[in-house]
Amino acid sequence: MGLLSAPAGVDKREYWGFSLYDWANSGYVTTVGTVLFAPYLTSVAEQAACGYSGTTDHPCRTNLDVLGLGISPGSLAFYVVTVATLVSALFLPVVGAIADRMARKKLLMCAFAWAGALAACAMVFVGGGRWALGALLLFIGNLCLGSSLVVYDSILIDIAPPDQRDAVSSRAWAFGYAGGFILLLINLAVVTAHDALGMSQGTAVRLSLLSAGLWWGIFTFFPFLRLRDRPPTSVVPVRSGNLVRQSFGQLGATLRHLRSYPMTMLFLIAYLFFNDGIQTVISVSSTYGEKQLGFETQVLIATILMVQFVAFFGAIVFGRVAARYGAHRTITGGLVIWMLIVIAGFLLPAHQIVPFLAMGAAIGIVLGGTQALSRSAFSQLIPKGREAEYFSLYQAGERGTSWLGTLVFGLVHQITGSYRPAIVALGLFFVVGLVLLVRVDMRRGIEEAGNAQPSIV
């Protein structure tokens, strides 16, 4: 079996269509969500508030006026992500309920993807004092990403049998890291050589944001053409009223229904905690590296490139470890490594690139594996006919949509004026997530959901 070939029992055409959506959206996740946009939006906001872009030696201390509230420019991007995720908590379950009733799931997924890609393309216009436009586009992009992933994750159950879901999920994540690596490599060249190309660094960053939107939109055509539509499988009776009203009714029924599956609910709560920690570390890493450790944009992009490269192999390795020891134990081991990473991040010295690169390599090893295996493990615990709606609850804490972590990070920074105590505060999310995860009995949860038992969990 090849490193990234379709596992036995999985249709090759659909496997490639599924995997290439990870490739497509990773252009946005890495270039916009992880590397460039948060520090760029911070600089635009600092210019508007203070008249200059803050540095480690000369920080911007003047707040922005946002709806009558004083908001630190350094916390703006994290508050936007927080608001987007709070809205997602209400909106995504509706998307999931609609998807479970639709015969054309892939069309719904791709429509959200193309809307998010358009928002990312429009980020090319964020400059000068237009921090509010940037905040709005980030909100739209994150909301559309989460909505598309609700449907995308549920398709995993359609195309992969229980024993192959860890492999399919891990390999799709690996495709995502490969795609993110290639686009970031191109953007690194553009940002690094901006003088030779006759443009400012700000212009180079905006063009990189545009490239992420184009990448996401264009490559979304592959899953649109390769995935098959299937009849809806919702087992919930259709309610009276329009589709949106029906969906809200189904959401209430699903939340009540979830209480009948204690292991599914416990896994979901554990995931919401530890994934908040993972997503916040990812989303704040570039800002932490620039504003706290004093690294230039080129260094940050190069580091994330290394993380993407290592994560490609990390996702594959975690998938193979799970095939031997089970996804549950493999995720547990990964969370222990995440706790060590947060502690190391607090101790990193400023302007020292080698320790920063070492931490990036450690993140790459566990990043893809913990997320890919969480997705496949949760898929085993979902009752049939409620796949998309259950994944909508799961997506409330998925990549780029963490809310409590970014809120804590933003608040600790605003109170202390430093990102160091903010980064170490994230360790609490991994501790709580790990304590809850070890209490999940996967075999019992799969049996309660009425699903077939895989050979190893």
mmCIF file of all heavy atoms in Angstrom, residues 286-330:
data_model
loop_
_atom_site.group_PDB
_atom_site.id
_atom_site.type_symbol
_atom_site.label_atom_id
_atom_site.label_comp_id
_atom_site.label_asym_id
_atom_site.label_seq_id
_atom_site.Cartn_x
_atom_site.Cartn_y
_atom_site.Cartn_z
ATOM 1 N N SER A 286 2.105 32.819 15.248
ATOM 2 C CA SER A 286 2.812 33.826 14.462
ATOM 3 C C SER A 286 2.846 35.166 15.194
ATOM 4 O O SER A 286 3.869 35.863 15.192
ATOM 5 C CB SER A 286 2.155 33.993 13.081
ATOM 6 O OG SER A 286 0.794 34.328 13.202
ATOM 7 N N THR A 287 1.734 35.536 15.839
ATOM 8 C CA THR A 287 1.720 36.774 16.615
ATOM 9 C C THR A 287 2.688 36.680 17.795
ATOM 10 O O THR A 287 3.410 37.642 18.102
ATOM 11 C CB THR A 287 0.296 37.060 17.127
ATOM 12 O OG1 THR A 287 -0.591 37.142 16.004
ATOM 13 C CG2 THR A 287 0.253 38.369 17.900
ATOM 14 N N TYR A 288 2.721 35.537 18.467
ATOM 15 C CA TYR A 288 3.651 35.336 19.584
ATOM 16 C C TYR A 288 5.100 35.452 19.111
ATOM 17 O O TYR A 288 5.938 36.099 19.751
ATOM 18 C CB TYR A 288 3.405 33.958 20.200
ATOM 19 C CG TYR A 288 4.191 33.695 21.471
ATOM 20 C CD1 TYR A 288 3.784 34.248 22.682
ATOM 21 C CD2 TYR A 288 5.323 32.885 21.457
ATOM 22 C CE1 TYR A 288 4.489 34.002 23.852
ATOM 23 C CE2 TYR A 288 6.036 32.637 22.624
ATOM 24 C CZ TYR A 288 5.609 33.198 23.811
ATOM 25 O OH TYR A 288 6.312 32.958 24.975
ATOM 26 N N GLY A 289 5.384 34.818 17.960
ATOM 27 C CA GLY A 289 6.741 34.871 17.440
ATOM 28 C C GLY A 289 7.165 36.267 17.044
ATOM 29 O O GLY A 289 8.324 36.664 17.265
ATOM 30 N N GLU A 290 6.235 37.051 16.464
ATOM 31 C CA GLU A 290 6.580 38.399 16.012
ATOM 32 C C GLU A 290 6.593 39.403 17.159
ATOM 33 O O GLU A 290 7.567 40.159 17.333
ATOM 34 C CB GLU A 290 5.595 38.859 14.941
ATOM 35 C CG GLU A 290 5.862 40.286 14.441
ATOM 36 C CD GLU A 290 4.881 40.723 13.366
ATOM 37 O OE1 GLU A 290 4.333 39.852 12.669
ATOM 38 O OE2 GLU A 290 4.662 41.939 13.238
ATOM 39 N N LYS A 291 5.519 39.442 17.951
ATOM 40 C CA LYS A 291 5.355 40.495 18.951
ATOM 41 C C LYS A 291 6.076 40.210 20.263
ATOM 42 O O LYS A 291 6.489 41.140 20.951
ATOM 43 C CB LYS A 291 3.860 40.728 19.213
ATOM 44 C CG LYS A 291 3.060 41.127 17.977
ATOM 45 C CD LYS A 291 3.553 42.433 17.394
ATOM 46 C CE LYS A 291 2.736 42.840 16.175
ATOM 47 N NZ LYS A 291 3.226 44.123 15.594
ATOM 48 N N GLN A 292 6.219 38.914 20.635
ATOM 49 C CA GLN A 292 6.874 38.589 21.903
ATOM 50 C C GLN A 292 8.334 38.202 21.722
ATOM 51 O O GLN A 292 9.196 38.581 22.522
ATOM 52 C CB GLN A 292 6.134 37.437 22.594
ATOM 53 C CG GLN A 292 6.650 37.120 23.988
ATOM 54 C CD GLN A 292 6.389 38.258 24.977
ATOM 55 O OE1 GLN A 292 5.259 38.700 25.129
ATOM 56 N NE2 GLN A 292 7.441 38.726 25.647
ATOM 57 N N LEU A 293 8.625 37.433 20.659
ATOM 58 C CA LEU A 293 9.987 36.930 20.467
ATOM 59 C C LEU A 293 10.793 37.756 19.482
ATOM 60 O O LEU A 293 11.998 37.544 19.340
ATOM 61 C CB LEU A 293 9.940 35.460 20.027
ATOM 62 C CG LEU A 293 9.202 34.511 20.976
ATOM 63 C CD1 LEU A 293 9.227 33.089 20.438
ATOM 64 C CD2 LEU A 293 9.802 34.562 22.378
ATOM 65 N N GLY A 294 10.126 38.674 18.746
ATOM 66 C CA GLY A 294 10.844 39.609 17.902
ATOM 67 C C GLY A 294 11.312 39.081 16.567
ATOM 68 O O GLY A 294 12.287 39.594 16.004
ATOM 69 N N PHE A 295 10.638 38.064 15.996
ATOM 70 C CA PHE A 295 11.044 37.510 14.707
ATOM 71 C C PHE A 295 10.361 38.243 13.558
ATOM 72 O O PHE A 295 9.214 38.692 13.681
ATOM 73 C CB PHE A 295 10.731 36.013 14.630
ATOM 74 C CG PHE A 295 11.518 35.173 15.596
ATOM 75 C CD1 PHE A 295 10.880 34.424 16.563
ATOM 76 C CD2 PHE A 295 12.905 35.143 15.534
ATOM 77 C CE1 PHE A 295 11.607 33.658 17.465
ATOM 78 C CE2 PHE A 295 13.643 34.371 16.434
ATOM 79 C CZ PHE A 295 12.988 33.631 17.398
ATOM 80 N N GLU A 296 11.047 38.321 12.419
ATOM 81 C CA GLU A 296 10.483 38.930 11.225
ATOM 82 C C GLU A 296 9.488 37.975 10.564
ATOM 83 O O GLU A 296 9.487 36.772 10.820
ATOM 84 C CB GLU A 296 11.596 39.293 10.230
ATOM 85 C CG GLU A 296 12.589 40.316 10.741
ATOM 86 C CD GLU A 296 11.958 41.690 10.916
ATOM 87 O OE1 GLU A 296 11.025 41.998 10.157
ATOM 88 O OE2 GLU A 296 12.393 42.436 11.815
ATOM 89 N N THR A 297 8.665 38.542 9.666
ATOM 90 C CA THR A 297 7.642 37.744 8.982
ATOM 91 C C THR A 297 8.260 36.574 8.221
ATOM 92 O O THR A 297 7.713 35.467 8.207
ATOM 93 C CB THR A 297 6.844 38.638 8.010
ATOM 94 O OG1 THR A 297 6.216 39.686 8.746
ATOM 95 C CG2 THR A 297 5.782 37.827 7.287
ATOM 96 N N GLN A 298 9.422 36.798 7.590
ATOM 97 C CA GLN A 298 10.061 35.737 6.821
ATOM 98 C C GLN A 298 10.437 34.552 7.706
ATOM 99 O O GLN A 298 10.299 33.388 7.304
ATOM 100 C CB GLN A 298 11.316 36.269 6.113
ATOM 101 C CG GLN A 298 11.016 37.283 5.021
ATOM 102 C CD GLN A 298 11.000 38.711 5.535
ATOM 103 O OE1 GLN A 298 10.691 38.947 6.709
ATOM 104 N NE2 GLN A 298 11.334 39.658 4.683
ATOM 105 N N VAL A 299 10.890 34.838 8.936
ATOM 106 C CA VAL A 299 11.249 33.771 9.866
ATOM 107 C C VAL A 299 10.007 32.981 10.278
ATOM 108 O O VAL A 299 10.028 31.749 10.354
ATOM 109 C CB VAL A 299 11.944 34.352 11.111
ATOM 110 C CG1 VAL A 299 12.170 33.269 12.172
ATOM 111 C CG2 VAL A 299 13.265 34.993 10.726
ATOM 112 N N LEU A 300 8.912 33.702 10.497
ATOM 113 C CA LEU A 300 7.675 33.041 10.903
ATOM 114 C C LEU A 300 7.160 32.123 9.799
ATOM 115 O O LEU A 300 6.738 30.991 10.056
ATOM 116 C CB LEU A 300 6.617 34.083 11.263
ATOM 117 C CG LEU A 300 6.968 35.011 12.435
ATOM 118 C CD1 LEU A 300 5.894 36.074 12.604
ATOM 119 C CD2 LEU A 300 7.153 34.222 13.713
ATOM 120 N N ILE A 301 7.173 32.609 8.556
ATOM 121 C CA ILE A 301 6.693 31.785 7.449
ATOM 122 C C ILE A 301 7.588 30.562 7.269
ATOM 123 O O ILE A 301 7.119 29.441 7.051
ATOM 124 C CB ILE A 301 6.619 32.596 6.149
ATOM 125 C CG1 ILE A 301 5.610 33.734 6.283
ATOM 126 C CG2 ILE A 301 6.235 31.701 4.977
ATOM 127 C CD1 ILE A 301 5.482 34.600 5.043
ATOM 128 N N ALA A 302 8.915 30.760 7.383
ATOM 129 C CA ALA A 302 9.842 29.635 7.249
ATOM 130 C C ALA A 302 9.598 28.594 8.338
ATOM 131 O O ALA A 302 9.653 27.384 8.089
ATOM 132 C CB ALA A 302 11.279 30.138 7.304
ATOM 133 N N THR A 303 9.299 29.060 9.556
ATOM 134 C CA THR A 303 9.031 28.137 10.656
ATOM 135 C C THR A 303 7.748 27.351 10.417
ATOM 136 O O THR A 303 7.700 26.126 10.630
ATOM 137 C CB THR A 303 8.930 28.904 11.992
ATOM 138 O OG1 THR A 303 10.142 29.641 12.206
ATOM 139 C CG2 THR A 303 8.709 27.946 13.151
ATOM 140 N N ILE A 304 6.709 28.053 9.978
ATOM 141 C CA ILE A 304 5.453 27.355 9.689
ATOM 142 C C ILE A 304 5.632 26.382 8.527
ATOM 143 O O ILE A 304 5.036 25.297 8.514
ATOM 144 C CB ILE A 304 4.339 28.368 9.379
ATOM 145 C CG1 ILE A 304 4.071 29.231 10.611
ATOM 146 C CG2 ILE A 304 3.065 27.661 8.960
ATOM 147 C CD1 ILE A 304 3.593 28.467 11.828
ATOM 148 N N LEU A 305 6.462 26.733 7.554
ATOM 149 C CA LEU A 305 6.773 25.802 6.468
ATOM 150 C C LEU A 305 7.377 24.515 7.022
ATOM 151 O O LEU A 305 7.011 23.407 6.617
ATOM 152 C CB LEU A 305 7.754 26.441 5.484
ATOM 153 C CG LEU A 305 7.170 27.295 4.363
ATOM 154 C CD1 LEU A 305 8.294 27.963 3.585
ATOM 155 C CD2 LEU A 305 6.315 26.457 3.429
ATOM 156 N N MET A 306 8.302 24.675 7.958
ATOM 157 C CA MET A 306 8.904 23.501 8.575
ATOM 158 C C MET A 306 7.862 22.688 9.336
ATOM 159 O O MET A 306 7.848 21.448 9.274
ATOM 160 C CB MET A 306 10.025 23.929 9.518
ATOM 161 C CG MET A 306 10.768 22.765 10.156
ATOM 162 S SD MET A 306 11.624 23.248 11.662
ATOM 163 C CE MET A 306 10.243 23.628 12.729
ATOM 164 N N VAL A 307 6.967 23.385 10.047
ATOM 165 C CA VAL A 307 5.905 22.702 10.767
ATOM 166 C C VAL A 307 5.033 21.904 9.800
ATOM 167 O O VAL A 307 4.693 20.746 10.055
ATOM 168 C CB VAL A 307 5.051 23.707 11.565
ATOM 169 C CG1 VAL A 307 3.815 23.021 12.149
ATOM 170 C CG2 VAL A 307 5.861 24.338 12.688
ATOM 171 N N GLN A 308 4.683 22.519 8.666
ATOM 172 C CA GLN A 308 3.862 21.835 7.665
ATOM 173 C C GLN A 308 4.577 20.596 7.133
ATOM 174 O O GLN A 308 3.964 19.538 6.933
ATOM 175 C CB GLN A 308 3.556 22.782 6.508
ATOM 176 C CG GLN A 308 2.682 23.964 6.871
ATOM 177 C CD GLN A 308 1.256 23.554 7.142
ATOM 178 O OE1 GLN A 308 0.766 23.657 8.266
ATOM 179 N NE2 GLN A 308 0.568 23.093 6.138
ATOM 180 N N PHE A 309 5.872 20.730 6.870
ATOM 181 C CA PHE A 309 6.644 19.612 6.334
ATOM 182 C C PHE A 309 6.690 18.464 7.330
ATOM 183 O O PHE A 309 6.458 17.299 6.986
ATOM 184 C CB PHE A 309 8.058 20.093 5.994
ATOM 185 C CG PHE A 309 8.939 19.032 5.402
ATOM 186 C CD1 PHE A 309 8.819 18.677 4.067
ATOM 187 C CD2 PHE A 309 9.887 18.380 6.189
ATOM 188 C CE1 PHE A 309 9.631 17.692 3.517
ATOM 189 C CE2 PHE A 309 10.702 17.395 5.645
ATOM 190 C CZ PHE A 309 10.572 17.054 4.304
ATOM 191 N N VAL A 310 6.987 18.782 8.595
ATOM 192 C CA VAL A 310 7.050 17.750 9.626
ATOM 193 C C VAL A 310 5.665 17.150 9.870
ATOM 194 O O VAL A 310 5.523 15.935 10.063
ATOM 195 C CB VAL A 310 7.627 18.331 10.933
ATOM 196 C CG1 VAL A 310 7.566 17.315 12.067
ATOM 197 C CG2 VAL A 310 9.070 18.788 10.718
ATOM 198 N N ALA A 311 4.623 18.008 9.847
ATOM 199 C CA ALA A 311 3.263 17.542 10.122
ATOM 200 C C ALA A 311 2.763 16.568 9.070
ATOM 201 O O ALA A 311 1.950 15.683 9.368
ATOM 202 C CB ALA A 311 2.311 18.731 10.220
ATOM 203 N N PHE A 312 3.222 16.718 7.825
ATOM 204 C CA PHE A 312 2.852 15.766 6.772
ATOM 205 C C PHE A 312 3.214 14.351 7.202
ATOM 206 O O PHE A 312 2.398 13.424 7.138
ATOM 207 C CB PHE A 312 3.562 16.145 5.469
ATOM 208 C CG PHE A 312 3.404 15.136 4.368
ATOM 209 C CD1 PHE A 312 2.294 15.172 3.544
ATOM 210 C CD2 PHE A 312 4.358 14.148 4.166
ATOM 211 C CE1 PHE A 312 2.136 14.243 2.521
ATOM 212 C CE2 PHE A 312 4.210 13.210 3.155
ATOM 213 C CZ PHE A 312 3.096 13.260 2.329
ATOM 214 N N PHE A 313 4.446 14.171 7.664
ATOM 215 C CA PHE A 313 4.894 12.849 8.097
ATOM 216 C C PHE A 313 4.315 12.496 9.460
ATOM 217 O O PHE A 313 4.038 11.319 9.733
ATOM 218 C CB PHE A 313 6.420 12.807 8.132
ATOM 219 C CG PHE A 313 7.056 12.987 6.779
ATOM 220 C CD1 PHE A 313 7.559 14.218 6.395
ATOM 221 C CD2 PHE A 313 7.114 11.933 5.882
ATOM 222 C CE1 PHE A 313 8.136 14.396 5.147
ATOM 223 C CE2 PHE A 313 7.683 12.100 4.624
ATOM 224 C CZ PHE A 313 8.190 13.334 4.251
ATOM 225 N N GLY A 314 4.109 13.522 10.319
ATOM 226 C CA GLY A 314 3.521 13.251 11.623
ATOM 227 C C GLY A 314 2.125 12.663 11.521
ATOM 228 O O GLY A 314 1.774 11.744 12.268
ATOM 229 N N ALA A 315 1.321 13.180 10.573
ATOM 230 C CA ALA A 315 -0.039 12.665 10.393
ATOM 231 C C ALA A 315 -0.010 11.209 9.940
ATOM 232 O O ALA A 315 -0.803 10.380 10.409
ATOM 233 C CB ALA A 315 -0.795 13.522 9.380
ATOM 234 N N ILE A 316 0.908 10.891 9.013
ATOM 235 C CA ILE A 316 1.025 9.512 8.541
ATOM 236 C C ILE A 316 1.476 8.581 9.671
ATOM 237 O O ILE A 316 0.931 7.492 9.867
ATOM 238 C CB ILE A 316 2.026 9.436 7.366
ATOM 239 C CG1 ILE A 316 1.539 10.294 6.185
ATOM 240 C CG2 ILE A 316 2.213 7.984 6.934
ATOM 241 C CD1 ILE A 316 0.238 9.866 5.598
ATOM 242 N N VAL A 317 2.472 9.030 10.438
ATOM 243 C CA VAL A 317 2.990 8.213 11.538
ATOM 244 C C VAL A 317 1.914 7.973 12.592
ATOM 245 O O VAL A 317 1.742 6.838 13.071
ATOM 246 C CB VAL A 317 4.223 8.887 12.169
ATOM 247 C CG1 VAL A 317 4.614 8.190 13.475
ATOM 248 C CG2 VAL A 317 5.395 8.863 11.195
ATOM 249 N N PHE A 318 1.164 9.030 12.963
ATOM 250 C CA PHE A 318 0.107 8.870 13.951
ATOM 251 C C PHE A 318 -0.960 7.891 13.453
ATOM 252 O O PHE A 318 -1.520 7.115 14.232
ATOM 253 C CB PHE A 318 -0.516 10.226 14.281
ATOM 254 C CG PHE A 318 0.035 10.857 15.531
ATOM 255 C CD1 PHE A 318 1.371 11.227 15.597
ATOM 256 C CD2 PHE A 318 -0.768 11.077 16.636
ATOM 257 C CE1 PHE A 318 1.886 11.809 16.744
ATOM 258 C CE2 PHE A 318 -0.260 11.652 17.795
ATOM 259 C CZ PHE A 318 1.078 12.022 17.844
ATOM 260 N N GLY A 319 -1.258 7.947 12.150
ATOM 261 C CA GLY A 319 -2.223 6.999 11.598
ATOM 262 C C GLY A 319 -1.750 5.564 11.733
ATOM 263 O O GLY A 319 -2.539 4.660 12.042
ATOM 264 N N ARG A 320 -0.465 5.335 11.526
ATOM 265 C CA ARG A 320 0.078 3.980 11.637
ATOM 266 C C ARG A 320 0.177 3.528 13.090
ATOM 267 O O ARG A 320 -0.031 2.344 13.398
ATOM 268 C CB ARG A 320 1.447 3.923 10.950
ATOM 269 C CG ARG A 320 1.336 4.141 9.442
ATOM 270 C CD ARG A 320 2.632 3.879 8.712
ATOM 271 N NE ARG A 320 2.429 3.948 7.267
ATOM 272 C CZ ARG A 320 3.362 3.690 6.366
ATOM 273 N NH1 ARG A 320 4.576 3.341 6.754
ATOM 274 N NH2 ARG A 320 3.095 3.784 5.071
ATOM 275 N N VAL A 321 0.501 4.467 13.986
ATOM 276 C CA VAL A 321 0.515 4.130 15.412
ATOM 277 C C VAL A 321 -0.891 3.757 15.871
ATOM 278 O O VAL A 321 -1.083 2.791 16.631
ATOM 279 C CB VAL A 321 1.062 5.307 16.241
ATOM 280 C CG1 VAL A 321 0.896 5.044 17.738
ATOM 281 C CG2 VAL A 321 2.539 5.552 15.918
ATOM 282 N N ALA A 322 -1.896 4.500 15.390
ATOM 283 C CA ALA A 322 -3.285 4.206 15.755
ATOM 284 C C ALA A 322 -3.717 2.842 15.233
ATOM 285 O O ALA A 322 -4.524 2.161 15.875
ATOM 286 C CB ALA A 322 -4.207 5.301 15.218
ATOM 287 N N ALA A 323 -3.204 2.446 14.066
ATOM 288 C CA ALA A 323 -3.550 1.135 13.524
ATOM 289 C C ALA A 323 -3.063 0.009 14.431
ATOM 290 O O ALA A 323 -3.629 -1.086 14.434
ATOM 291 C CB ALA A 323 -2.944 0.979 12.124
ATOM 292 N N ARG A 324 -2.036 0.293 15.226
ATOM 293 C CA ARG A 324 -1.480 -0.730 16.122
ATOM 294 C C ARG A 324 -2.007 -0.616 17.542
ATOM 295 O O ARG A 324 -2.307 -1.622 18.195
ATOM 296 C CB ARG A 324 0.040 -0.637 16.124
ATOM 297 C CG ARG A 324 0.710 -1.693 16.989
ATOM 298 C CD ARG A 324 2.207 -1.709 16.788
ATOM 299 N NE ARG A 324 2.847 -2.749 17.588
ATOM 300 C CZ ARG A 324 4.158 -3.016 17.558
ATOM 301 N NH1 ARG A 324 4.951 -2.315 16.759
ATOM 302 N NH2 ARG A 324 4.654 -3.969 18.321
ATOM 303 N N TYR A 325 -2.106 0.631 18.041
ATOM 304 C CA TYR A 325 -2.470 0.835 19.450
ATOM 305 C C TYR A 325 -3.860 1.439 19.647
ATOM 306 O O TYR A 325 -4.327 1.531 20.785
ATOM 307 C CB TYR A 325 -1.442 1.740 20.129
ATOM 308 C CG TYR A 325 -0.053 1.155 20.169
ATOM 309 C CD1 TYR A 325 0.927 1.607 19.298
ATOM 310 C CD2 TYR A 325 0.264 0.127 21.058
ATOM 311 C CE1 TYR A 325 2.211 1.067 19.319
ATOM 312 C CE2 TYR A 325 1.542 -0.424 21.091
ATOM 313 C CZ TYR A 325 2.517 0.056 20.208
ATOM 314 O OH TYR A 325 3.775 -0.479 20.228
ATOM 315 N N GLY A 326 -4.507 1.879 18.576
ATOM 316 C CA GLY A 326 -5.829 2.480 18.677
ATOM 317 C C GLY A 326 -5.758 3.990 18.729
ATOM 318 O O GLY A 326 -4.791 4.574 19.245
ATOM 319 N N ALA A 327 -6.783 4.639 18.178
ATOM 320 C CA ALA A 327 -6.804 6.099 18.109
ATOM 321 C C ALA A 327 -6.869 6.728 19.500
ATOM 322 O O ALA A 327 -6.241 7.759 19.757
ATOM 323 C CB ALA A 327 -7.995 6.561 17.267
ATOM 324 N N HIS A 328 -7.614 6.111 20.407
ATOM 325 C CA HIS A 328 -7.815 6.688 21.738
ATOM 326 C C HIS A 328 -6.497 6.837 22.483
ATOM 327 O O HIS A 328 -6.166 7.922 22.994
ATOM 328 C CB HIS A 328 -8.797 5.822 22.530
ATOM 329 C CG HIS A 328 -9.152 6.380 23.870
ATOM 330 N ND1 HIS A 328 -8.538 5.960 25.034
ATOM 331 C CD2 HIS A 328 -10.049 7.329 24.245
ATOM 332 C CE1 HIS A 328 -9.044 6.615 26.063
ATOM 333 N NE2 HIS A 328 -9.969 7.454 25.614
ATOM 334 N N ARG A 329 -5.713 5.771 22.551
ATOM 335 C CA ARG A 329 -4.437 5.840 23.258
ATOM 336 C C ARG A 329 -3.437 6.743 22.532
ATOM 337 O O ARG A 329 -2.627 7.429 23.169
ATOM 338 C CB ARG A 329 -3.859 4.434 23.428
ATOM 339 C CG ARG A 329 -4.466 3.671 24.579
ATOM 340 C CD ARG A 329 -3.714 2.398 24.875
ATOM 341 N NE ARG A 329 -3.974 1.380 23.853
ATOM 342 C CZ ARG A 329 -3.422 0.165 23.850
ATOM 343 N NH1 ARG A 329 -2.572 -0.176 24.821
ATOM 344 N NH2 ARG A 329 -3.714 -0.706 22.919
ATOM 345 N N THR A 330 -3.500 6.768 21.209
ATOM 346 C CA THR A 330 -2.577 7.607 20.445
ATOM 347 C C THR A 330 -2.862 9.084 20.680
ATOM 348 O O THR A 330 -1.943 9.894 20.848
ATOM 349 C CB THR A 330 -2.683 7.284 18.948
ATOM 350 O OG1 THR A 330 -2.483 5.876 18.751
ATOM 351 C CG2 THR A 330 -1.622 8.038 18.154
#
